[in-house]
Amino acid sequence: MRTILPGLPSPHLQALATGYCQNASESGPRRITVYISGPAISILSPSPASPSHLLQTIYDDDPTPLQCVALDEPTAKIAVITTSGTGRIYKPTINTLLPINSPEREPRWVLQGTFSSSPSPSHPATLSWGSDGELLVSSSSSLQLWQTSRPEGDIHLSWSQPLPNPAKMALLSYDSAYIASVGRYDKLVKVWRRLSYGSGGAGTEEGVDGARFDFVYLRHGDVVTRLEWRKRPRHEGQTVENVLWTVDCKGRVKLWVGGDGHGMRELRLWGVELGMRMGWVVQGGI
């Protein structure tokens, strides 16, 4: 069966996101794909009738176009941000009062709240989910961490750090222990290491709620074109060592690992590969 979708994905770095979400089905994890097209957010999931079954289309009220989307696998929350710097969080709901086989019992995403970031049409923002509904937003002038799973239900800024230069990419590790960022044409990857979640003292980068970070630089031989953290464990409650792989414009892959998964020590170089084969192994979760 052919599915008619509302437009092509926008030509942006983060116009599409996909993952296996726990909260998008009553029968277990379910593949969810979401992409942005102009003001529209299209949410898809495979079904017996179609590999690209359209679950829902959300039309953003902001007059400026969407430029970025991110999907949180544990909560199935969707984050989007516009070129004007306005961000929105959508969370899934399921009407359990309807019959199990009813089409209306499919998940529907509703607006949870909004947040604001520094707009820049020439330097698009990026979004990245971490643990416990924590969202990283990189803009033209800062990195921000937003808490989206507070008991009050609001979205709260917990950490903000000005940047001397815009970040092209910024990614949270699955457990929110590290942030990796890189600017356009940079040969150095900046890794922010989380020291605490509460109030802290002087001498570190301290956030709005006292979250503390320090940072190190990871040197690459050429311009870094891609970053990727190891995916979160497949089983809830399981922990794995953080692994960061970086790719430069010549195809050289470097793997960086933490010294201690619990102590959150600095990353160290584990291996170099002239090609993408090693990177695909890390994506596979070993």
Side-chain angles (χ1 to χ4, degrees):
M1 180 179 178
R2 181 174 297 178
T3 302
I4 299 176
L5 301 177
L8 293 172
S10 300
H12 297 302
L13 186 65
Q14 277 190 291
L16 182 144
T18 186
Y20 280 98
C21 297
Q22 301 287 341
N23 289 358
S25 174
E26 297 175 277
S27 58
R30 180 179 186 179
R31 168 68 69 180
I32 297 294
T33 300
V34 56
Y35 74 89
I36 54 175
S37 179
I41 307 165
S42 300
I43 305 170
L44 315 173
S45 182
S47 71
S50 171
S52 56
H53 172 59
L54 182 63
L55 290 176
Q56 185 180 358
T57 301
I58 303 170
Y59 289 95
D60 194 80
D61 294 332
D62 199 296
T64 56
L66 298 166
Q67 66 172 348
C68 188
V69 63
L71 175 68
D72 186 31
E73 288 186 297
T75 64
K77 290 183 179 180
I78 296 171
V80 295
I81 194 167
T82 68
T83 54
S84 65
T86 300
R88 290 179 175 82
I89 306 293
Y90 295 91
K91 62 180 182 180
T93 61
I94 297 177
N95 189 346
T96 57
L97 299 178
L98 294 172
I100 293 180
N101 296 327
S102 172
E104 298 300 322
R105 195 163 169 138
E106 291 275 27
R108 290 292 182 269
W109 278 257
V110 298
L111 181 66
Q112 176 186 344
T114 62
F115 61 90
S116 297
S117 183
S118 303
S120 174
S122 59
H123 298 286
T126 64
L127 302 171
S128 178
W129 288 98
S131 65
D132 299 324
E134 192 168 41
L135 179 68
L136 173 68
V137 181
S138 75
S139 66
S140 61
S141 60
S142 67
L143 294 176
Q144 296 177 336
L145 282 176
W146 293 85
Q147 298 287 346
T148 71
S149 297
R150 287 157 54 93
E152 300 85 354
D154 61 334
I155 300 171
H156 178 71
L157 178 65
S158 61
W159 181 74
S160 181
Q161 174 61 37
L163 296 176
N165 298 301
K168 178 184 178 181
M169 290 173 283
L171 298 175
L172 261 177
S173 61
Y174 82 93
D175 56 358
S176 294
Y178 296 96
I179 299 171
S181 66
V182 65
R184 193 179 299 273
Y185 310 123
D186 275 356
K187 298 181 181 179
L188 296 175
V189 178
K190 194 171 188 177
V191 175
W192 304 80
R193 180 183 58 164
R194 194 167 207 152
L195 301 179
S196 73
Y197 291 79
S199 60
T204 58
E205 305 294 345
E206 187 170 339
V208 177
D209 282 345
R212 299 171 59 217
F213 288 80
D214 66 2
F215 63 87
V216 295
Y217 286 105
L218 307 180
R219 184 178 298 276
H220 234 287
D222 220 307
V223 175
V224 178
T225 57
R226 186 174 177 186
L227 309 172
E228 193 73 36
W229 285 106
R230 187 182 201 170
K231 297 297 185 183
R232 67 179 67 250
R234 296 176 182 176
H235 303 289
E236 189 175 357
Q238 181 184 4
T239 59
V240 295
E241 186 177 37
N242 279 302
V243 177
L244 174 70
W245 61 282
T246 58
V247 186
D248 66 22
C249 62
K250 293 184 178 179
R252 182 183 292 108
V253 181
K254 288 190 175 184
L255 272 71
W256 311 83
V257 298
D260 183 350
H262 298 286
M264 294 185 292
R265 290 163 54 187
E266 294 180 5
L267 299 180
R268 68 180 189 276
L269 182 63
W270 182 80
V272 180
E273 177 74 9
L274 294 176
M276 297 295 292
R277 180 177 59 84
M278 187 176 290
W280 288 116
V281 172
V282 176
Q283 279 290 84
I286 68 166

